[in-house]
Amino acid sequence: MTHTETILILDFGSQYTQLIARKVRETGVYAEIHPFNISMEKIREINPVGVIFSGGPSSVYAEGAPHSDSAIFELGVPILGICYGLQLIAYQNGGAVDRSARREFGRAHLRIDATNEPFLRDVPSESIVWMSHGDSLTKMPDGFEVIAHTDNAPICAIANQERKIYGVQFHPEVSHTPHGLEILRNFVYDICSAKGGWNARAFIEASKEEIRANVGSDKVICAVSGGVDSTVLAVLLHEALGHQVIPIHIDNGLMRQNESKHVVELFRERFHIPLDFADTGEQFLKGLKGVVDPEQKRKIIGNTFIEVFEKEAKKFPDAKWLAQGTLYPDVIESVSFKGPSVTIKTHHNVGGLPERMNFGLVEPFRELFKDEVRAVGRLFGVPEEFIERHPFPGPGLAVRVLGEVTRERCEVLRQADIIFIEELRAFGEYNNSWQAFTVLLPISSVGVMGDERTYENVCAVRAVTSTDGMTADWTRIPYEVLNRVSNRIINEVRGINRVVYDISSKPPATIEWE
């Protein structure tokens, strides 16, 4: 999709790079991420209205440190450097950067020195910012002035108004910098002179035109899992192409409680979209019989999914396109600050299908973050239950039933899982987590129920907070909620007599257990 104005973000390895793009887009301007070593030719092709250098873990003076082409400063395009990006601007423009006398991580008090600076408009003269650096500027580059400082960083923000180049030692993109969004907005509109207009409604109209132009009168099939991405994708396609779209939902026997039923009702009854439904749970469970290795489970499920999907797709021989809900993080996830990678994450176990079945590929969400997909879904009237639904792994409950996967063990887990989700919703805690679920462990423990000793399953409860799933922390669920969840699961789910709460963060743990 072409864009009338773009903010280009160069990635130097910061954990917050995606967050910079999301915050810029919040201001109403499209932003996209590229590795720091993108060619000048490609930059000119993008024709950005402004460029942002991300932070990063390196020292600018270290051997092998990531440096962008200094020719970028001659483009005449406004530039903003954040943390490492500030230091690189200084380093490449005659300044000096040295190891700080005292490293600075966490909150700091920013004091503005240049009160008339448009870059810091609407920011209080003293405010809180989030620091994360071990190096500092010790010599200003020529033509720049200090516009803000902290107690530990005498040079905390710099500006060259004539060349429209700015730098900040702190991170305006994180929520811990309360006025960070205003700073980014000032850069985008006051410094880069962007006009705005990037929003869900504008995306929908542009996307529908592009889909129609590419697909023409052909038919498109898409796998619908019940998650927000594939649901909103199918509705968008239907808006653009009507009955040329064939959504296919495969019940693999590893879904959440009543999930397939809700998906069928949503499409057939609410949106009046014909949905092809395949109930193939027995086929998947048969393939998983006796398998306990998680990677082997994933391969079996992935191969079975392709086999089933191919069979369903053959019902529609005139379909020439496959639609996938690939998101922007899927595309850039493997593009590190060391340079671009050819690896792009496949989506919902349909990797390989376009080539194998001679399909063209339709991926209208390749430029969107998940929160932007949710905004699109809301405009289409997709129920909030689907919009705010937590992510669900492609292999389903198979990676949450540790050990062998059977119909009986899946059913025990479903009952526990729905109780957990019901209680989170009842206490208003559901939306406080990125993901919440239960895990059935392959161990049993002794318990007492009534006057009898029991020897039954242990259930782990897991809830995490995250922005993109790449890092995560465990959710601080109130004790009263955990108490209610534990009591209900033990009393109502036959086969579980102990509940534990997982308080591991990612890293070092992963979100899912397998």
Side-chain angles (χ1 to χ4, degrees), residues 416-432:
D417 194 70
I418 196 65
I419 288 172
F420 184 32
I421 300 305
E422 281 176 357
E423 292 303 326
L424 289 179
R425 290 190 187 280
F427 281 88
E429 290 288 332
Y430 183 80
N431 289 340
N432 291 337

Side-chain angles (χ1 to χ4, degrees), residues 99-110:
R99 181 69 63 185
S100 300
R102 183 164 64 96
R103 297 188 302 168
E104 196 169 25
F105 298 96
R107 290 178 174 81
H109 291 272
L110 182 75

Side-chain angles (χ1 to χ4, degrees), residues 284-487:
F284 280 84
L285 290 169
K286 182 179 178 182
L288 291 167
K289 186 175 177 60
V291 178
V292 297
D293 179 70
E295 193 54 36
Q296 195 178 351
K297 287 181 189 177
R298 289 177 183 274
K299 287 179 180 176
I300 290 168
I301 292 166
N303 291 335
T304 307
F305 184 93
I306 289 176
E307 183 183 326
V308 171
F309 193 85
E310 276 187 309
K311 181 180 177 183
E312 290 302 307
K314 284 176 182 175
K315 297 179 184 177
F316 313 99
D318 49 350
K320 297 180 180 177
W321 298 83
L322 174 69
Q324 292 187 173
T326 308
L327 301 186
Y328 194 44
D330 299 331
V331 176
I332 64 175
E333 190 173 59
S334 56
V335 181
S336 75
F337 72 97
K338 294 185 186 298
S341 164
V342 296
T343 305
I344 293 178
K345 192 170 95 181
T346 54
H347 187 75
H348 285 308
N349 297 311
V350 293
L353 277 173
E355 299 84 2
R356 182 165 167 169
M357 301 179 69
N358 296 316
F359 280 141
L361 201 54
V362 180
E363 294 179 305
F365 295 160
R366 281 180 66 86
E367 295 179 343
L368 299 191
F369 290 102
K370 188 175 284 285
D371 53 342
E372 293 171 324
V373 173
R374 288 188 169 115
V376 170
R378 287 189 177 98
L379 288 177
F380 283 136
V382 175
E384 203 66 20
E385 172 194 351
F386 282 86
I387 293 293
E388 291 297 342
R389 177 165 287 180
H390 291 171
F392 189 59
L397 298 183
V399 293
R400 295 178 179 174
V401 171
L402 274 55
E404 185 179 7
V405 181
T406 65
R407 180 176 294 279
E408 293 71 28
R409 298 191 77 210
C410 284
E411 188 53 37
V412 168
L413 184 59
R414 281 191 194 94
Q415 292 176 34
D417 194 70
I418 196 65
I419 288 172
F420 184 32
I421 300 305
E422 281 176 357
E423 292 303 326
L424 289 179
R425 290 190 187 280
F427 281 88
E429 290 288 332
Y430 183 80
N431 289 340
N432 291 337
S433 292
W434 159 270
Q435 204 167 3
F437 55 92
T438 53
V439 181
L440 192 65
L441 307 189
I443 55 175
S444 298
S445 72
V446 174
V448 178
M449 292 187 175
D451 294 326
E452 297 182 1
R453 288 170 65 82
T454 62
Y455 194 60
E456 294 181 334
N457 294 289
V458 177
C459 171
V461 174
R462 178 78 157 142
V464 297
T465 58
S466 179
T467 55
D468 52 23
M470 297 179 74
T471 60
D473 193 14
W474 59 280
T475 307
R476 272 59 171 177
I477 297 175
Y479 292 152
E480 61 177 320
V481 182
L482 291 174
N483 181 57
R484 172 80 174 162
V485 169
S486 177
N487 284 342

